[in-house]
Amino acid sequence: MSNKIYPIGIQNFESLRKDGYFYIDKTALIYQLVKTGRYYFLSRPRRFGKSLLLSTLEAYFQGKKELFEGLAMEKLEKDWIKYPILHLDLNIGKYDAPDSLDKILNEALLGWEALYGSREGESTLALRFKGVVDRACKLTGQRVVILVDEYDKPLLQAIGNEALQTEYRNTLKPFYGVLKTMDGSIKFGMLTGVTKFGKVSVFSDLNNLDDISMREPYVGICGMTEKEIHDNLDLELHELAAARKITYEEVCAKLKEYYDGYHFVENTEGIYNPFSLLNTFKYNKFGSYWFETGTPTYLVELLKRNHYDLERMAHEETDADVLNSIYGDDQPIPVIFQSGYLTIKGYDERFGLYRLGYPNREVEEGFIKFLMPFYTRFNKQESAFEIQKFVREIEIGEVDAFFRRLQSFFADTPYELIKDLELHYQNVLFIVFKLVGFYVKAEYHTSEGRVDLVLQTDKFIYVMEFKLDGTAEEALQQIDERHYARPFLSDIRKLFKIGVNFSAKTRNIERWIVQ
């Protein structure tokens, strides 16, 4: 029986070590980080261990050797010097007003000024920060360590509010600029966040940051690799398999399907989501743990504002400039990638193109479920029941009931979506059939105002063609002309060919014909 205590929600390295929580040793990588550079930036999805990483760095720079007993750092570090540390956590605030950020920064500065003093002439937040760095260095005789957790939280929360974004950028740019102007007084600096979209506007003068987000040596600095799981949790894998009444091999495969698949650099090993993984081992049960902690609505706002075709998301292609960009205000893909909802699935070295896709089943299923209330009139609870009914109707061959239910998904289409009605109806169909596809086999394609779809169950095969402002007869005719049903003609299951027409005037399914 495993006696491990899993550090779920524990972000403080000192308390984790003193209270005997399970820890996968990342300190060799941290040592390498500290000894080979001075200023770093790391982007990783939420709940991936960024705060714990900064807390570990803080303990190291405080010279707390006893916390590293039995870890790689204990043998690597010889000096254990204590440095003054300025640790700013922007994750604690709610940024919904112009002065919200000022209050958080002022609170941090007051704490530092209590330790290192203040000067009357330091009238701005940036000047006060500069003064604290200068005095901390002089008073302690050691250069300062600066750690900023979730540097982008104010900017993320202000997506869609241009005035507030500008306000926060104008505050943060000179504040973070202290890292460059006070270089002689700084030993080490690291900023972490989910996205990089503040980098050009906020960090335009701060070109001394080494962005390790897509650097191969640091792929595994947050999260878990497959080797780390087998080296540290092999007994627990056997216990999980026994609890779920499946084999060891099956439990490993299921963990991989649900939680692996994050690739932050091309052609590197996959990284497992640590939060979901630890919850699975703690409760011996698979679940959407990462999603249950909340998905930010700003992602959906970006998708809708940019009239994004959701079908593209699973096979988006882009280059490194976009992936590393900060154009979150203009296009959704960089922010969605950096937030962990898409990952690198392939790389074309010749053209420098990355192929993106969902990292794993937890993310794919959770994200599509999350989207539904934003694109239909059903709330989160209602939509789950509706999908369940869809699947049952498909499995028992109730075609008319299925399409009447589908009509309800288009009822009361919000007026603002009329501007791009074709894309809206395609996106709603995509969401419905993607979710249905987690329970039955589904293939979905869109092309020039039409959708073709194949659903397969144990007893039935459905070949469907959807048209926009055509006729159900034309849709059915296209199934025959393009031989969509040909692969299933010798199949023993019952075959339905269905032509469907969507009307722009009624903004709903106008008619369907079943053959």
Side-chain angles (χ1 to χ4, degrees):
M1 180 82 178
S2 172
N3 59 356
K4 286 186 174 66
I5 312 170
Y6 297 104
I8 295 163
I10 308 295
Q11 300 176 335
N12 182 275
F13 181 73
E14 183 167 353
S15 72
L16 181 148
R17 295 292 289 167
K18 284 183 174 178
D19 294 341
Y21 281 93
F22 171 64
Y23 176 70
I24 286 183
D25 190 357
K26 302 284 185 180
T27 60
L29 271 179
I30 290 170
Y31 182 82
Q32 180 181 325
L33 192 77
V34 169
K35 297 300 181 182
T36 58
R38 279 178 59 195
Y39 297 101
Y40 292 101
F41 172 70
L42 176 69
S43 163
R44 283 293 181 269
R46 62 188 176 84
R47 297 283 190 173
F48 241 81
K50 300 186 297 295
S51 297
L52 179 59
L53 171 64
L54 289 190
S55 180
T56 309
L57 281 163
E58 183 172 17
Y60 166 75
F61 281 114
Q62 286 172 332
K64 294 183 175 180
K65 182 180 178 180
E66 70 281 4
L67 298 178
F68 294 86
E69 189 178 333
L71 301 178
M73 186 72 83
E74 182 186 30
K75 294 178 181 177
L76 292 168
E77 183 55 67
K78 307 300 178 192
D79 300 327
W80 296 100
I81 298 168
K82 183 179 180 179
Y83 295 91
I85 295 167
L86 305 178
H87 190 159
L88 176 64
D89 184 1
L90 291 184
N91 201 34
I92 59 175
K94 184 180 181 183
Y95 303 96
D96 55 2
D99 64 345
S100 300
L101 176 59
D102 290 0
K103 288 176 180 176
I104 296 291
L105 296 179
N106 181 58
E107 182 70 21
L109 285 163
L110 287 172
W112 298 334
E113 286 166 343
L115 291 173
Y116 304 114
S118 60
R119 282 181 56 199
E120 195 175 324
E122 294 166 354
S123 56
T124 68
L125 294 166
L127 283 173
R128 289 169 66 192
F129 188 27
K130 180 176 179 289
V132 166
V133 171
D134 181 49
R135 287 187 294 277
C137 181
K138 287 174 179 173
L139 286 169
T140 63
Q142 297 289 351
R143 286 177 296 161
V144 179
V145 171
I146 298 175
L147 306 172
V148 182
D149 200 1
E150 304 290 359
Y151 89 97
D152 56 346
K153 187 74 177 285
L155 300 169
L156 278 175
Q157 289 198 355
I159 279 183
N161 186 334
E162 203 170 316
L164 204 53
Q165 279 257 343
T166 302
E167 185 87 25
Y168 291 160
R169 283 185 171 125
N170 290 342
T171 299
L172 289 173
K173 186 175 179 180
F175 194 86
Y176 290 141
V178 171
L179 271 79
K180 189 167 185 179
T181 58
M182 295 300 291
D183 179 56
S185 302
I186 298 172
K187 166 68 177 175
F188 181 87
M190 187 167 194
L191 292 86
T192 69
V194 171
T195 69
K196 306 176 197 177
F197 78 90
K199 212 171 147 196
V200 163
S201 53
V202 175
F203 298 158
S204 55
D205 299 329
L206 197 57
N207 53 11
N208 55 340
L209 280 179
D210 183 2
D211 184 352
I212 60 170
S213 308
M214 294 181 70
R215 300 292 185 199
E216 190 169 344
Y218 299 106
V219 162
I221 200 162
C222 292
M224 292 190 213
T225 66
E226 196 158 292
K227 185 178 187 304
E228 286 173 332
I229 293 169
H230 286 283
D231 287 351
N232 294 275
L233 292 157
D234 199 60
L235 169 63
E236 289 73 18
L237 282 169
H238 284 282
E239 288 182 358
L240 178 60
R244 304 320 308 159
K245 296 181 173 58
I246 55 178
T247 66
Y248 176 85
E249 290 72 24
E250 286 170 334
V251 91
C252 292
K254 194 164 183 179
L255 277 176
K256 194 174 186 67
E257 178 193 358
Y258 271 76
Y259 308 127
D260 187 19
Y262 291 90
H263 295 273
F264 302 108
V265 183
E266 69 274 10
N267 305 319
T268 54
E269 62 185 327
I271 301 295
Y272 285 73
N273 182 319
F275 185 77
S276 291
L277 205 61
L278 292 175
N279 272 283
T280 302
F281 282 117
K282 180 176 181 178
Y283 298 109
N284 276 331
K285 185 178 180 181
F286 289 87
S288 296
Y289 298 105
W290 190 61
F291 263 89
E292 287 166 6
T293 62
T295 300
T297 55
Y298 67 77
L299 294 175
V300 186
E301 296 306 320
L302 283 174
L303 290 170
K304 291 178 75 174
R305 196 185 323 142
N306 287 274
H307 300 291
Y308 186 79
D309 180 353
L310 297 176
E311 191 201 357
R312 282 174 49 197
M313 195 178 294
H315 45 80
E316 185 77 60
E317 282 198 336
T318 189
D319 61 21
D321 287 341
V322 173
L323 287 190
N324 281 303
S325 77
I326 39 42
Y327 308 128
D329 299 353
D330 305 316
Q331 53 174 299
I333 290 305
V335 177
I336 291 170
F337 167 73
Q338 292 158 20
S339 300
Y341 298 89
L342 291 177
T343 195
I344 297 167
K345 289 291 189 179
Y347 180 65
D348 186 327
E349 192 168 354
R350 183 183 178 195
F351 297 103
L353 287 176
Y354 292 89
R355 181 172 55 81
L356 305 181
Y358 300 106
N360 51 49
R361 172 148 180 173
E362 181 192 15
V363 172
E364 183 174 20
E365 188 171 354
F367 193 54
I368 302 295
K369 281 180 179 175
F370 178 74
L371 289 174
M372 187 181 283
F374 294 91
Y375 285 85
T376 73
R377 65 188 182 91
F378 294 100
N379 63 35
K380 185 179 177 182
Q381 287 75 26
E382 290 169 333
S383 58
F385 284 110
E386 291 297 312
I387 291 299
Q388 185 183 51
K389 290 169 186 172
F390 269 128
V391 172
R392 285 176 177 166
E393 286 157 359
I394 290 167
E395 288 177 337
I396 62 175
E398 291 282 351
V399 179
D400 290 334
F402 174 87
F403 278 100
R404 283 193 294 271
R405 189 172 310 284
L406 193 55
Q407 278 181 322
S408 70
F409 269 68
F410 291 104
D412 306 321
T413 300
Y415 180 77
E416 63 270 19
L417 293 168
I418 298 173
K419 288 179 292 186
D420 205 342
L421 188 67
E422 178 183 324
L423 182 61
H424 174 66
Y425 108 88
Q426 289 185 354
N427 278 341
V428 171
L429 288 176
F430 173 78
I431 290 169
V432 170
F433 292 123
K434 192 70 181 174
L435 290 175
V436 166
F438 286 112
Y439 307 97
V440 303
K441 190 175 178 184
E443 294 177 45
Y444 174 97
H445 308 283
T446 64
S447 175
E448 298 173 8
R450 39 169 288 272
V451 173
D452 63 83
L453 174 80
V454 177
L455 294 176
Q456 298 182 55
T457 72
D458 292 342
K459 296 177 181 177
F460 304 104
I461 298 169
Y462 302 84
V463 179
M464 306 183 198
E465 177 73 25
F466 291 78
K467 280 196 169 294
L468 175 64
D469 283 339
T471 66
E473 288 82 1
E474 287 171 350
L476 196 59
Q477 186 180 345
Q478 192 155 314
I479 292 174
D480 291 330
E481 286 176 352
R482 302 205 176 181
H483 308 294
Y484 291 153
R486 183 180 284 171
F488 310 106
L489 293 178
S490 60
D491 200 294
I492 60 169
R493 290 173 290 180
K494 184 174 180 179
L495 174 67
F496 290 104
K497 291 189 288 186
I498 307 166
V500 188
N501 184 53
F502 187 93
S503 165
K505 185 178 179 182
T506 63
R507 288 182 280 148
N508 210 320
I509 291 171
E510 173 251 342
R511 188 165 176 248
W512 63 90
I513 301 174
V514 183
Q515 193 180 87

PDB file of all heavy atoms in Angstrom, residues 408-429:
ATOM      1  N   SER A 408     -33.141  22.137 -31.688  1.00  0.00           N
ATOM      2  CA  SER A 408     -33.203  22.917 -30.447  1.00  0.00           C
ATOM      3  C   SER A 408     -31.874  23.594 -30.138  1.00  0.00           C
ATOM      4  O   SER A 408     -31.828  24.613 -29.445  1.00  0.00           O
ATOM      5  CB  SER A 408     -33.634  22.036 -29.272  1.00  0.00           C
ATOM      6  OG  SER A 408     -32.620  21.106 -28.932  1.00  0.00           O
ATOM      7  N   PHE A 409     -30.776  23.022 -30.658  1.00  0.00           N
ATOM      8  CA  PHE A 409     -29.466  23.627 -30.424  1.00  0.00           C
ATOM      9  C   PHE A 409     -29.293  24.932 -31.194  1.00  0.00           C
ATOM     10  O   PHE A 409     -28.467  25.760 -30.845  1.00  0.00           O
ATOM     11  CB  PHE A 409     -28.350  22.641 -30.801  1.00  0.00           C
ATOM     12  CG  PHE A 409     -27.921  21.783 -29.652  1.00  0.00           C
ATOM     13  CD1 PHE A 409     -28.773  20.831 -29.121  1.00  0.00           C
ATOM     14  CD2 PHE A 409     -26.677  21.937 -29.071  1.00  0.00           C
ATOM     15  CE1 PHE A 409     -28.394  20.050 -28.045  1.00  0.00           C
ATOM     16  CE2 PHE A 409     -26.287  21.159 -27.990  1.00  0.00           C
ATOM     17  CZ  PHE A 409     -27.159  20.218 -27.480  1.00  0.00           C
ATOM     18  N   PHE A 410     -30.042  25.073 -32.287  1.00  0.00           N
ATOM     19  CA  PHE A 410     -29.952  26.294 -33.076  1.00  0.00           C
ATOM     20  C   PHE A 410     -31.040  27.305 -32.718  1.00  0.00           C
ATOM     21  O   PHE A 410     -31.021  28.429 -33.203  1.00  0.00           O
ATOM     22  CB  PHE A 410     -30.049  25.967 -34.572  1.00  0.00           C
ATOM     23  CG  PHE A 410     -28.839  25.238 -35.086  1.00  0.00           C
ATOM     24  CD1 PHE A 410     -28.891  23.875 -35.343  1.00  0.00           C
ATOM     25  CD2 PHE A 410     -27.650  25.907 -35.301  1.00  0.00           C
ATOM     26  CE1 PHE A 410     -27.786  23.201 -35.813  1.00  0.00           C
ATOM     27  CE2 PHE A 410     -26.531  25.236 -35.769  1.00  0.00           C
ATOM     28  CZ  PHE A 410     -26.587  23.873 -36.023  1.00  0.00           C
ATOM     29  N   ALA A 411     -31.993  26.906 -31.902  1.00  0.00           N
ATOM     30  CA  ALA A 411     -33.066  27.816 -31.526  1.00  0.00           C
ATOM     31  C   ALA A 411     -32.510  29.008 -30.758  1.00  0.00           C
ATOM     32  O   ALA A 411     -31.543  28.874 -29.998  1.00  0.00           O
ATOM     33  CB  ALA A 411     -34.097  27.076 -30.677  1.00  0.00           C
ATOM     34  N   ASP A 412     -33.105  30.148 -30.989  1.00  0.00           N
ATOM     35  CA  ASP A 412     -32.706  31.382 -30.284  1.00  0.00           C
ATOM     36  C   ASP A 412     -31.230  31.729 -30.493  1.00  0.00           C
ATOM     37  O   ASP A 412     -30.526  32.103 -29.555  1.00  0.00           O
ATOM     38  CB  ASP A 412     -32.975  31.266 -28.775  1.00  0.00           C
ATOM     39  CG  ASP A 412     -34.421  30.892 -28.480  1.00  0.00           C
ATOM     40  OD1 ASP A 412     -35.302  31.406 -29.182  1.00  0.00           O
ATOM     41  OD2 ASP A 412     -34.650  30.087 -27.563  1.00  0.00           O
ATOM     42  N   THR A 413     -30.747  31.569 -31.730  1.00  0.00           N
ATOM     43  CA  THR A 413     -29.371  31.959 -32.020  1.00  0.00           C
ATOM     44  C   THR A 413     -29.198  33.444 -31.709  1.00  0.00           C
ATOM     45  O   THR A 413     -29.958  34.266 -32.201  1.00  0.00           O
ATOM     46  CB  THR A 413     -29.029  31.708 -33.509  1.00  0.00           C
ATOM     47  OG1 THR A 413     -29.190  30.326 -33.785  1.00  0.00           O
ATOM     48  CG2 THR A 413     -27.590  32.117 -33.809  1.00  0.00           C
ATOM     49  N   PRO A 414     -28.228  33.818 -30.882  1.00  0.00           N
ATOM     50  CA  PRO A 414     -28.054  35.228 -30.517  1.00  0.00           C
ATOM     51  C   PRO A 414     -27.878  36.118 -31.750  1.00  0.00           C
ATOM     52  O   PRO A 414     -27.207  35.735 -32.710  1.00  0.00           O
ATOM     53  CB  PRO A 414     -26.772  35.216 -29.667  1.00  0.00           C
ATOM     54  CG  PRO A 414     -26.688  33.829 -29.139  1.00  0.00           C
ATOM     55  CD  PRO A 414     -27.265  32.953 -30.208  1.00  0.00           C
ATOM     56  N   TYR A 415     -28.486  37.292 -31.708  1.00  0.00           N
ATOM     57  CA  TYR A 415     -28.499  38.200 -32.852  1.00  0.00           C
ATOM     58  C   TYR A 415     -27.097  38.532 -33.345  1.00  0.00           C
ATOM     59  O   TYR A 415     -26.847  38.620 -34.544  1.00  0.00           O
ATOM     60  CB  TYR A 415     -29.234  39.491 -32.460  1.00  0.00           C
ATOM     61  CG  TYR A 415     -29.304  40.502 -33.573  1.00  0.00           C
ATOM     62  CD1 TYR A 415     -30.218  40.353 -34.619  1.00  0.00           C
ATOM     63  CD2 TYR A 415     -28.442  41.597 -33.603  1.00  0.00           C
ATOM     64  CE1 TYR A 415     -30.283  41.281 -35.645  1.00  0.00           C
ATOM     65  CE2 TYR A 415     -28.497  42.525 -34.628  1.00  0.00           C
ATOM     66  CZ  TYR A 415     -29.424  42.366 -35.643  1.00  0.00           C
ATOM     67  OH  TYR A 415     -29.473  43.276 -36.661  1.00  0.00           O
ATOM     68  N   GLU A 416     -26.145  38.692 -32.400  1.00  0.00           N
ATOM     69  CA  GLU A 416     -24.801  39.124 -32.800  1.00  0.00           C
ATOM     70  C   GLU A 416     -24.072  38.078 -33.646  1.00  0.00           C
ATOM     71  O   GLU A 416     -23.073  38.380 -34.294  1.00  0.00           O
ATOM     72  CB  GLU A 416     -23.952  39.479 -31.570  1.00  0.00           C
ATOM     73  CG  GLU A 416     -23.681  38.329 -30.607  1.00  0.00           C
ATOM     74  CD  GLU A 416     -24.733  38.203 -29.515  1.00  0.00           C
ATOM     75  OE1 GLU A 416     -25.841  38.755 -29.683  1.00  0.00           O
ATOM     76  OE2 GLU A 416     -24.450  37.538 -28.507  1.00  0.00           O
ATOM     77  N   LEU A 417     -24.565  36.824 -33.632  1.00  0.00           N
ATOM     78  CA  LEU A 417     -23.912  35.766 -34.412  1.00  0.00           C
ATOM     79  C   LEU A 417     -24.393  35.728 -35.863  1.00  0.00           C
ATOM     80  O   LEU A 417     -23.832  35.018 -36.680  1.00  0.00           O
ATOM     81  CB  LEU A 417     -24.154  34.397 -33.758  1.00  0.00           C
ATOM     82  CG  LEU A 417     -23.477  34.214 -32.403  1.00  0.00           C
ATOM     83  CD1 LEU A 417     -23.993  32.971 -31.704  1.00  0.00           C
ATOM     84  CD2 LEU A 417     -21.969  34.146 -32.549  1.00  0.00           C
ATOM     85  N   ILE A 418     -25.417  36.495 -36.182  1.00  0.00           N
ATOM     86  CA  ILE A 418     -25.965  36.481 -37.544  1.00  0.00           C
ATOM     87  C   ILE A 418     -24.926  36.952 -38.550  1.00  0.00           C
ATOM     88  O   ILE A 418     -24.926  36.539 -39.705  1.00  0.00           O
ATOM     89  CB  ILE A 418     -27.243  37.362 -37.632  1.00  0.00           C
ATOM     90  CG1 ILE A 418     -28.318  36.790 -36.708  1.00  0.00           C
ATOM     91  CG2 ILE A 418     -27.771  37.446 -39.049  1.00  0.00           C
ATOM     92  CD1 ILE A 418     -29.547  37.656 -36.583  1.00  0.00           C
ATOM     93  N   LYS A 419     -24.021  37.817 -38.120  1.00  0.00           N
ATOM     94  CA  LYS A 419     -22.999  38.350 -39.016  1.00  0.00           C
ATOM     95  C   LYS A 419     -22.204  37.239 -39.700  1.00  0.00           C
ATOM     96  O   LYS A 419     -21.743  37.390 -40.813  1.00  0.00           O
ATOM     97  CB  LYS A 419     -22.026  39.245 -38.229  1.00  0.00           C
ATOM     98  CG  LYS A 419     -22.619  40.573 -37.805  1.00  0.00           C
ATOM     99  CD  LYS A 419     -21.609  41.394 -37.014  1.00  0.00           C
ATOM    100  CE  LYS A 419     -21.312  40.773 -35.662  1.00  0.00           C
ATOM    101  NZ  LYS A 419     -20.438  41.628 -34.817  1.00  0.00           N
ATOM    102  N   ASP A 420     -22.009  36.134 -39.001  1.00  0.00           N
ATOM    103  CA  ASP A 420     -21.244  35.026 -39.571  1.00  0.00           C
ATOM    104  C   ASP A 420     -22.030  33.745 -39.332  1.00  0.00           C
ATOM    105  O   ASP A 420     -21.563  32.821 -38.665  1.00  0.00           O
ATOM    106  CB  ASP A 420     -19.867  34.965 -38.905  1.00  0.00           C
ATOM    107  CG  ASP A 420     -18.833  34.288 -39.797  1.00  0.00           C
ATOM    108  OD1 ASP A 420     -19.242  33.574 -40.738  1.00  0.00           O
ATOM    109  OD2 ASP A 420     -17.629  34.476 -39.546  1.00  0.00           O
ATOM    110  N   LEU A 421     -23.219  33.680 -39.905  1.00  0.00           N
ATOM    111  CA  LEU A 421     -24.131  32.585 -39.618  1.00  0.00           C
ATOM    112  C   LEU A 421     -23.592  31.241 -40.090  1.00  0.00           C
ATOM    113  O   LEU A 421     -23.728  30.231 -39.408  1.00  0.00           O
ATOM    114  CB  LEU A 421     -25.500  32.852 -40.258  1.00  0.00           C
ATOM    115  CG  LEU A 421     -26.595  31.863 -39.861  1.00  0.00           C
ATOM    116  CD1 LEU A 421     -26.931  32.008 -38.386  1.00  0.00           C
ATOM    117  CD2 LEU A 421     -27.847  32.083 -40.703  1.00  0.00           C
ATOM    118  N   GLU A 422     -22.961  31.242 -41.267  1.00  0.00           N
ATOM    119  CA  GLU A 422     -22.431  29.982 -41.811  1.00  0.00           C
ATOM    120  C   GLU A 422     -21.428  29.360 -40.843  1.00  0.00           C
ATOM    121  O   GLU A 422     -21.500  28.172 -40.533  1.00  0.00           O
ATOM    122  CB  GLU A 422     -21.758  30.234 -43.166  1.00  0.00           C
ATOM    123  CG  GLU A 422     -21.138  28.977 -43.765  1.00  0.00           C
ATOM    124  CD  GLU A 422     -20.412  29.266 -45.073  1.00  0.00           C
ATOM    125  OE1 GLU A 422     -20.886  30.128 -45.836  1.00  0.00           O
ATOM    126  OE2 GLU A 422     -19.379  28.632 -45.323  1.00  0.00           O
ATOM    127  N   LEU A 423     -20.507  30.182 -40.356  1.00  0.00           N
ATOM    128  CA  LEU A 423     -19.503  29.671 -39.420  1.00  0.00           C
ATOM    129  C   LEU A 423     -20.163  29.243 -38.111  1.00  0.00           C
ATOM    130  O   LEU A 423     -19.782  28.232 -37.522  1.00  0.00           O
ATOM    131  CB  LEU A 423     -18.441  30.745 -39.151  1.00  0.00           C
ATOM    132  CG  LEU A 423     -17.303  30.318 -38.224  1.00  0.00           C
ATOM    133  CD1 LEU A 423     -16.529  29.144 -38.814  1.00  0.00           C
ATOM    134  CD2 LEU A 423     -16.370  31.483 -37.964  1.00  0.00           C
ATOM    135  N   HIS A 424     -21.165  29.979 -37.668  1.00  0.00           N
ATOM    136  CA  HIS A 424     -21.838  29.628 -36.419  1.00  0.00           C
ATOM    137  C   HIS A 424     -22.501  28.251 -36.518  1.00  0.00           C
ATOM    138  O   HIS A 424     -22.347  27.416 -35.625  1.00  0.00           O
ATOM    139  CB  HIS A 424     -22.884  30.671 -36.054  1.00  0.00           C
ATOM    140  CG  HIS A 424     -23.696  30.289 -34.850  1.00  0.00           C
ATOM    141  ND1 HIS A 424     -23.148  30.190 -33.596  1.00  0.00           N
ATOM    142  CD2 HIS A 424     -24.995  29.928 -34.709  1.00  0.00           C
ATOM    143  CE1 HIS A 424     -24.074  29.805 -32.732  1.00  0.00           C
ATOM    144  NE2 HIS A 424     -25.208  29.639 -33.380  1.00  0.00           N
ATOM    145  N   TYR A 425     -23.210  28.012 -37.611  1.00  0.00           N
ATOM    146  CA  TYR A 425     -23.895  26.710 -37.704  1.00  0.00           C
ATOM    147  C   TYR A 425     -22.872  25.582 -37.834  1.00  0.00           C
ATOM    148  O   TYR A 425     -23.043  24.499 -37.271  1.00  0.00           O
ATOM    149  CB  TYR A 425     -24.934  26.752 -38.840  1.00  0.00           C
ATOM    150  CG  TYR A 425     -24.635  25.988 -40.098  1.00  0.00           C
ATOM    151  CD1 TYR A 425     -24.989  24.645 -40.218  1.00  0.00           C
ATOM    152  CD2 TYR A 425     -24.033  26.615 -41.194  1.00  0.00           C
ATOM    153  CE1 TYR A 425     -24.739  23.948 -41.389  1.00  0.00           C
ATOM    154  CE2 TYR A 425     -23.791  25.923 -42.358  1.00  0.00           C
ATOM    155  CZ  TYR A 425     -24.141  24.586 -42.459  1.00  0.00           C
ATOM    156  OH  TYR A 425     -23.885  23.896 -43.613  1.00  0.00           O
ATOM    157  N   GLN A 426     -21.757  25.846 -38.524  1.00  0.00           N
ATOM    158  CA  GLN A 426     -20.712  24.821 -38.618  1.00  0.00           C
ATOM    159  C   GLN A 426     -20.070  24.569 -37.256  1.00  0.00           C
ATOM    160  O   GLN A 426     -19.775  23.417 -36.904  1.00  0.00           O
ATOM    161  CB  GLN A 426     -19.650  25.242 -39.640  1.00  0.00           C
ATOM    162  CG  GLN A 426     -20.149  25.191 -41.082  1.00  0.00           C
ATOM    163  CD  GLN A 426     -19.055  25.492 -42.091  1.00  0.00           C
ATOM    164  OE1 GLN A 426     -17.941  25.845 -41.728  1.00  0.00           O
ATOM    165  NE2 GLN A 426     -19.382  25.368 -43.353  1.00  0.00           N
ATOM    166  N   ASN A 427     -19.861  25.635 -36.489  1.00  0.00           N
ATOM    167  CA  ASN A 427     -19.254  25.465 -35.162  1.00  0.00           C
ATOM    168  C   ASN A 427     -20.171  24.708 -34.201  1.00  0.00           C
ATOM    169  O   ASN A 427     -19.710  23.876 -33.420  1.00  0.00           O
ATOM    170  CB  ASN A 427     -18.887  26.833 -34.569  1.00  0.00           C
ATOM    171  CG  ASN A 427     -17.557  27.359 -35.100  1.00  0.00           C
ATOM    172  OD1 ASN A 427     -16.750  26.602 -35.622  1.00  0.00           O
ATOM    173  ND2 ASN A 427     -17.341  28.656 -34.973  1.00  0.00           N
ATOM    174  N   VAL A 428     -21.475  24.992 -34.257  1.00  0.00           N
ATOM    175  CA  VAL A 428     -22.409  24.271 -33.390  1.00  0.00           C
ATOM    176  C   VAL A 428     -22.443  22.792 -33.762  1.00  0.00           C
ATOM    177  O   VAL A 428     -22.389  21.910 -32.885  1.00  0.00           O
ATOM    178  CB  VAL A 428     -23.832  24.881 -33.467  1.00  0.00           C
ATOM    179  CG1 VAL A 428     -24.832  23.992 -32.726  1.00  0.00           C
ATOM    180  CG2 VAL A 428     -23.839  26.277 -32.862  1.00  0.00           C
ATOM    181  N   LEU A 429     -22.502  22.508 -35.063  1.00  0.00           N
ATOM    182  CA  LEU A 429     -22.466  21.099 -35.501  1.00  0.00           C
ATOM    183  C   LEU A 429     -21.176  20.429 -35.061  1.00  0.00           C
ATOM    184  O   LEU A 429     -21.180  19.286 -34.599  1.00  0.00           O
ATOM    185  CB  LEU A 429     -22.605  21.013 -37.025  1.00  0.00           C
ATOM    186  CG  LEU A 429     -23.986  21.319 -37.612  1.00  0.00           C
ATOM    187  CD1 LEU A 429     -23.936  21.285 -39.136  1.00  0.00           C
ATOM    188  CD2 LEU A 429     -25.039  20.333 -37.107  1.00  0.00           C
TER     189      LEU A 429
END
